[in-house]
Amino acid sequence: FQPPRLVVTGRAGWMGMGRGAGRPALGFWPTLAFLLCSFPAASSSCKILKCNSEFWSATAGSHAPAADDAPEFCAALRTYALCTRRTARTCRGDLAYHSAVHGIEDLMSQHNCSKDGPTSQPHLRTLPPPGDSQERSDSPEICHYEKSFHNRAAAPNYTHCGLFGDPHLRTFTDRFQTCKVQGAWPLIDNNYLNVQVTNTPVLPGSAATATSKLTIIFKNFQECVDQKVYQAEMDELPAAFADGSKNGGDKHGANSLKITEKVSGQHVEIQAKYIGTTIVVRQVGRYLTFAVRMPEEVVNAVEDRDSQGLYLCLRGCPLNQQIDFQAFRAGTAEGPGAPQPPAASPVPPAPDTFPYETAVAKCKEKLPVEDLYYQACVFDLLTTGDVNFTLAAYYALEDVKMLHSNKDKLHLYARTREPPGRAGAAPGPPLAPWPLLGTLLLLALLPALPGAA
């Protein structure tokens, strides 16, 4: 298993971080992007991601100071350092925090910045004029995926992927799996965007996990959009990208990428018309759910499919991360002494919060059809004891109804568990902890920081 590749050299890959970023500054961005995506926060009160995003916005946008404009760049670094000091107490033990502090010190030394001096003022974004919230009628045709199909013989074929609950994955090929996948995992990794989730234990000492963090990177694309990063965490579902914007930036087709807040703090929808993609992010209870509608052409737009590594929405969970849902359900229904067939992975211990009959009754209220979403609901109540997981399954099915192109496949009844030897879910050696991989990659990247040469 390899970490998700955040720097892609394909046609829609990262082409720079904004017009104002000078060459020396760009070496820092792979590191910062990796920090933004890979490290789970040690505590929800640690605001290092906010500090990272503000520095990113100050130095990577169209308003950014060039790295060789020392006074302004140093002021931005001092502001960054001040932000990290303010959150230091709540970030003890957070690798993203300590890596950011190290990176700031290194950059200040390379650019001869003093620790004392002026800081940069927060950048206030200029609101678009009234009426500019709609897509410009003269935006390039390439920035509207469906319109660009009028010269083709066939209409685009759309697919759906979703992740919810403890966690349950529905892949682009309609495989349905229940997985452990604790830590940071890539959901989508193609030429146009990256999606990564972080799953954390629901209960101390339990194998039951749920999504606590989501990062989406929309890559710089032709005349349409600048690179944009969207981040959501527990109790923080923003209605804007990390730089405070709600569209694709300053390009002519910028409004082909837009964020819309459907329910404050609970439901956000992102429309990426230039790639025909719709993303729905929800917070249900404490945890996040993810759903996407995407054309097959975009799904399969990868540089090297064979060496790409894991991409859960396309390949599913590896076998050693899958949970034998049927065995767990049968054993719970029949009682603790019932024999259980071998599982792909040990199932989470079930707390005594919900008896089986109570879990069934609660799930029936919201999910009357006994499909896999209903079964996932029952499983989650038995493994977590959190009634909010009922709503997570309910909204996941509602998102399928909105996003799936084949209305005959809304309800799934046959659970998919890959047999040994299947390429998409072949077992492998135990996965190294992501924070350790992150630290090693960070150390490898530090020599490439500005001025390191």
Side-chain angles (χ1 to χ4, degrees), residues 93-448:
D94 188 302
L95 287 176
Y97 166 78
H98 292 290
S99 299
V101 170
H102 183 90
I104 292 168
E105 292 174 352
D106 192 72
L107 283 175
M108 292 188 79
S109 172
Q110 292 166 20
H111 292 275
N112 296 318
C113 301
S114 63
K115 293 185 178 180
D116 299 321
T119 55
S120 56
Q121 296 298 315
H123 173 66
L124 300 177
R125 295 189 60 85
T126 303
L127 295 176
D132 195 44
S133 60
Q134 301 299 316
E135 188 175 357
R136 298 170 184 170
S137 59
D138 62 341
S139 62
E141 186 176 272
I142 196 173
C143 299
H144 197 297
Y145 186 82
E146 290 185 352
K147 287 182 179 178
S148 69
F149 259 82
H150 75 275
N151 291 326
R152 307 192 191 187
N157 184 31
Y158 288 94
T159 58
H160 162 76
C161 176
L163 187 78
F164 69 97
D166 173 23
H168 308 281
L169 172 72
R170 181 170 179 161
T171 71
F172 284 128
T173 54
D174 291 313
R175 288 181 286 162
F176 196 98
Q177 300 169 344
T178 298
C179 311
K180 292 189 299 183
V181 289
Q182 182 173 334
W185 290 78
L187 277 182
I188 298 173
D189 180 9
N190 61 40
N191 291 350
Y192 302 95
L193 78 163
N194 298 101
V195 181
Q196 182 167 285
V197 293
T198 299
N199 302 311
T200 54
V202 175
L203 298 170
S206 170
T209 62
T211 302
S212 58
K213 178 180 173 183
L214 171 75
T215 302
I216 307 172
I217 300 178
F218 295 90
K219 300 174 186 176
N220 185 322
F221 182 70
Q222 299 186 18
E223 308 142 76
C224 305
V225 299
D226 297 320
Q227 181 170 281
K228 292 289 177 175
V229 178
Y230 179 79
Q231 291 180 292
E233 297 186 68
M234 289 191 300
D235 302 320
E236 189 172 347
L237 188 69
F241 294 109
D243 63 0
S245 66
K246 292 193 174 186
N247 70 0
D250 299 323
K251 292 187 176 180
H252 198 49
N255 284 320
S256 61
L257 175 63
K258 293 192 294 186
I259 290 184
T260 303
E261 185 176 59
K262 298 293 186 178
V263 180
S264 179
Q266 297 179 33
H267 181 188
V268 167
E269 184 175 302
I270 305 175
Q271 290 278 352
K273 291 186 177 180
Y274 65 102
I275 50 173
T277 296
T278 300
I279 294 175
V280 175
V281 183
R282 299 178 187 266
Q283 175 163 318
V284 184
R286 297 183 61 219
Y287 299 100
L288 304 172
T289 70
F290 170 85
V292 63
R293 169 186 164 97
M294 183 180 289
E296 278 188 353
E297 182 183 35
V298 177
V299 168
N300 295 309
V302 295
E303 289 301 303
D304 187 346
R305 192 184 182 98
D306 293 332
S307 64
Q308 182 192 26
L310 284 178
Y311 168 173
L312 298 187
C313 275
L314 186 62
R315 301 192 175 193
C317 298
L319 184 62
N320 63 0
Q321 293 293 313
Q322 293 179 41
I323 292 173
D324 193 330
F325 179 97
Q326 304 283 22
F328 176 80
R329 179 173 178 268
T332 307
E334 295 173 17
Q340 296 187 23
S345 176
V347 297
D352 297 328
T353 311
F354 282 108
Y356 178 79
E357 295 76 11
T358 304
V360 166
K362 287 187 176 295
C363 292
K364 270 285 189 182
E365 292 175 7
K366 300 296 290 185
L367 298 157
V369 179
E370 294 189 21
D371 61 0
L372 290 178
Y373 289 88
Y374 160 81
Q375 294 181 30
C377 172
V378 174
F379 176 87
D380 288 353
L381 293 189
L382 294 173
T383 56
T384 70
D386 185 347
V387 72
N388 286 307
F389 282 82
T390 304
L391 288 176
Y394 169 77
Y395 284 124
L397 183 57
E398 290 300 297
D399 290 337
V400 172
K401 292 176 182 178
M402 179 180 74
L403 300 174
H404 205 294
S405 59
N406 188 342
K407 301 308 177 186
D408 294 330
K409 291 187 176 181
L410 300 184
H411 298 282
L412 296 178
Y413 297 93
R415 172 167 299 275
T416 303
R417 185 163 83 81
E418 295 297 336
R422 180 71 176 264
L431 299 175
W434 265 90
L436 176 59
L437 289 175
T439 303
L440 294 174
L441 182 56
L442 177 65
L443 293 174
L445 287 173
L446 283 176

Side-chain angles (χ1 to χ4, degrees), residues 52-65:
N52 289 348
S53 296
E54 289 178 351
F55 179 66
W56 184 309
S57 177
T59 58
S62 59
H63 57 282

